[in-house]
Amino acid sequence: MNTSGHAADDVRAPGLRLSPFRGLRYVPERVGSLAAVTSPPYDVVVRPDGLLELESADPHNIVRLILPQAITAGTRHRKAAVTLDRWLADGVLAPDPDPAIYVYEQRGDGILQRGLIGALELSTPAEGIVLPHEDVMPHVVEDRADLMRTTAANLEPLLLTYRGDGDGAGAVVDRVVQREPLLTTTTEDGFQHRLWAVTNPADLTAVATELARHQALIADGHHRWATYLRLRDEHTVPGPWNYGLVLLIDTARYPLRVRAIHRLLGRLPVADALAAVGDAFRVTRVEGPLAAAQEALAAASAEGNAFLLAGDGTYHLLDRPDPALLARTVRTDRPEAWRTLDATVLHATLLDHVWGIPDAPEDISYIHDTRAAVEQAERRGGTAVLMHPVKEEVVRDLARQGVTMPRKSTSFGPKPATGLVLRSLALD
């Protein structure tokens, strides 16, 4: 990656290496509004009506690149590449004049979050620099790889966290946010987004020096990180494919919220799910509304493994699993913290043993939004398995031990809005 002329490129250390890049950004005069062209990350846009709503918000909404619609995957990805080229030719998107690391701020719902967007040098989990905490699904990696390969672009940043020490990067962020931002917009969810470019060599050196002392945890974007690594391995000559677009958040200063990702079992009616459970768990019918049922789930989760089933218009709490059943179904060659995770028990005991449901896309959907999971289960006659979130320190401790959690175990947020800054590998 060519970042010549920038002091940050002079730092060679075993920690994080975040490089400047020429960000692709929407030209405000060519779109209805910046808010109208943004989107949540691709894997959060789960409902067809949500996709249609984004497509209808503006003809240039970023969802047309991250989730292009066509009959086959190859056609979809070529459509995205053609769309990206057309938007560049028409001046809808344009590269910034100079390579930069970007300061990104989100504010809303009682949260203030600030971080750094840049091109991070890739590393494998074995190197201990960027720590994954979840497994990935091969078909998703394949789809994302084909999209990135075809567009030659990183269309949305991953969300990574690190624990800063108060020097360098934090001071740069504090100074930069006093300036006029490159952009300000407020999205439909009420969050305000602001972006600044950092190009000063001294600032870049300060950021690089601190980050070189740290490792990062993948908070959101395991499939895209696996995609980055796959595409890097396809290119034998070092270059832009050795880097990937990320947002780095110092959670010592700006703690993230951790939410659960729920499971939708579209082929399993609630009645059948409950009948199969038998005495494996205690089953209690819980009164609604949804918020009250979630409170019951939180209370039960404080005592041990617990899940909330929905989809038949009522709520059913599953807790107090049979210890003998757990001993038979949960593997014992992992740390205690892993064996007692709700996601571990759900997949090893309920999905694999009690319900016999394979972890395949046609059988299990992963949904971030709680209400959407319930509504889809009711519409399809299936079962929504609602989860309680895991604490960040549990996730980080397991990652440092090299232990991955079951896929889609956590949802860190707030997630960066997709569409505020993109990375074209052709410009590096």
Side-chain angles (χ1 to χ4, degrees):
M1 182 175 184
N2 181 14
T3 55
S4 58
H6 293 278
D9 196 47
D10 296 333
V11 178
R12 297 292 187 270
L16 300 167
R17 294 192 59 213
L18 191 69
S19 292
F21 69 105
R22 290 180 65 195
L24 282 184
R25 296 191 295 110
Y26 280 99
V27 177
E29 296 78 14
R30 298 303 311 274
V31 297
S33 73
L34 288 175
V37 295
T38 63
S39 162
Y42 80 97
D43 58 340
V44 181
V45 185
V46 294
R47 304 189 315 272
D49 55 329
L51 180 63
L52 180 61
E53 181 180 341
L54 289 166
E55 288 182 328
S56 303
D58 189 285
H60 302 110
N61 188 283
I62 192 67
V63 78
R64 296 180 185 275
L65 300 183
I66 64 171
L67 288 172
Q69 298 301 294
I71 295 175
T72 66
T75 304
R76 288 197 303 271
H77 301 150
R78 286 192 296 273
K79 182 178 179 181
V82 169
T83 300
L84 177 58
D85 289 344
R86 185 174 70 249
W87 289 357
L88 287 166
D90 292 346
V92 174
L93 288 168
D96 283 333
D98 298 305
I101 286 175
Y102 297 86
V103 172
Y104 174 50
E105 177 188 277
Q106 293 168 277
R107 188 189 295 266
D109 194 23
I111 296 173
L112 172 63
Q113 179 171 288
R114 291 173 177 151
L116 298 166
I117 294 178
L120 186 68
E121 185 174 48
L122 304 180
S123 59
T124 64
E127 294 172 73
I129 299 171
V130 175
L131 306 175
H133 69 268
E134 290 183 357
D135 295 328
V136 296
M137 293 175 275
H139 75 280
V140 177
V141 175
E142 182 59 43
D143 178 76
R144 292 294 102 182
D146 195 28
L147 177 63
M148 285 190 205
R149 193 184 296 115
T150 306
T151 59
N154 298 156
L155 300 172
E156 48 186 335
L158 283 66
L159 178 60
L160 273 61
T161 75
Y162 72 103
R163 302 289 291 180
D165 48 32
D167 298 326
V172 170
V173 169
D174 290 344
R175 284 197 303 273
V176 168
V177 297
Q178 303 305 314
R179 305 191 325 228
E180 189 71 19
L182 291 174
L183 65 84
T184 300
T185 189
T186 301
T187 45
E188 190 179 54
D189 57 6
F191 272 81
Q192 182 193 66
H193 307 263
R194 298 199 294 172
L195 193 74
W196 296 262
V198 180
T199 58
N200 179 279
D203 287 340
L204 294 174
T205 297
V207 169
T209 301
E210 182 189 350
L211 292 183
R213 299 194 291 267
H214 296 296
Q215 61 183 185
L217 174 74
I218 301 176
D220 186 69
H222 284 82
H223 290 91
R224 283 165 285 165
W225 185 258
T227 297
Y228 288 167
L229 292 175
R230 173 181 292 193
L231 295 176
R232 181 194 67 173
D233 292 345
E234 293 177 3
H235 296 78
T236 55
V237 178
W241 294 98
N242 284 56
Y243 297 77
L245 185 63
V246 305
L247 166 63
L248 271 172
I249 301 290
D250 177 0
T251 52
R253 306 182 82 211
Y254 302 105
L256 295 179
R257 288 183 177 175
V258 187
R259 293 193 167 110
I261 301 177
H262 311 296
R263 275 64 170 162
L264 172 62
L265 314 179
R267 298 179 176 181
L268 180 68
V270 173
D272 293 350
L274 293 172
V277 167
D279 296 329
F281 285 73
R282 183 177 71 169
V283 180
T284 307
R285 180 164 171 162
V286 178
E287 295 301 320
L290 177 57
Q294 286 181 282
E295 289 178 4
L297 173 62
S301 294
E303 303 298 325
N305 299 119
F307 311 94
L308 194 65
L309 304 191
D312 63 351
T314 61
Y315 301 99
H316 308 270
L317 179 67
L318 272 58
D319 67 350
R320 300 187 185 180
D322 176 9
L325 177 62
L326 295 183
R328 291 198 310 273
T329 55
V330 177
R331 56 191 296 180
T332 58
D333 60 343
R334 296 290 180 93
E336 177 71 12
W338 183 90
R339 297 199 303 272
T340 55
L341 288 169
D342 284 340
T344 297
V345 172
L346 172 62
H347 283 263
T349 304
L350 276 171
L351 291 173
D352 291 353
H353 181 79
V354 174
W355 293 328
I357 296 178
D359 193 355
E362 58 270 22
D363 292 289
I364 305 177
S365 300
Y366 294 84
I367 301 179
H368 294 73
D369 183 83
T370 309
R371 191 166 299 279
V374 175
E375 291 174 352
Q376 287 199 42
E378 291 177 347
R379 187 164 59 246
R380 295 172 57 178
T383 297
V385 183
L386 306 183
M387 312 277 286
H388 188 68
V390 183
K391 290 184 172 60
E392 181 181 356
E393 53 265 30
V394 174
V395 177
R396 192 177 296 276
D397 287 347
L398 285 172
R400 283 177 174 155
Q401 295 177 61
V403 178
T404 55
M405 299 167 66
R407 59 179 65 110
K408 298 294 184 182
S409 293
T410 60
S411 176
F412 285 82
K415 304 180 191 302
T418 298
L420 296 181
V421 60
L422 291 64
R423 174 177 174 249
S424 169
L425 280 76
L427 294 174
D428 290 343

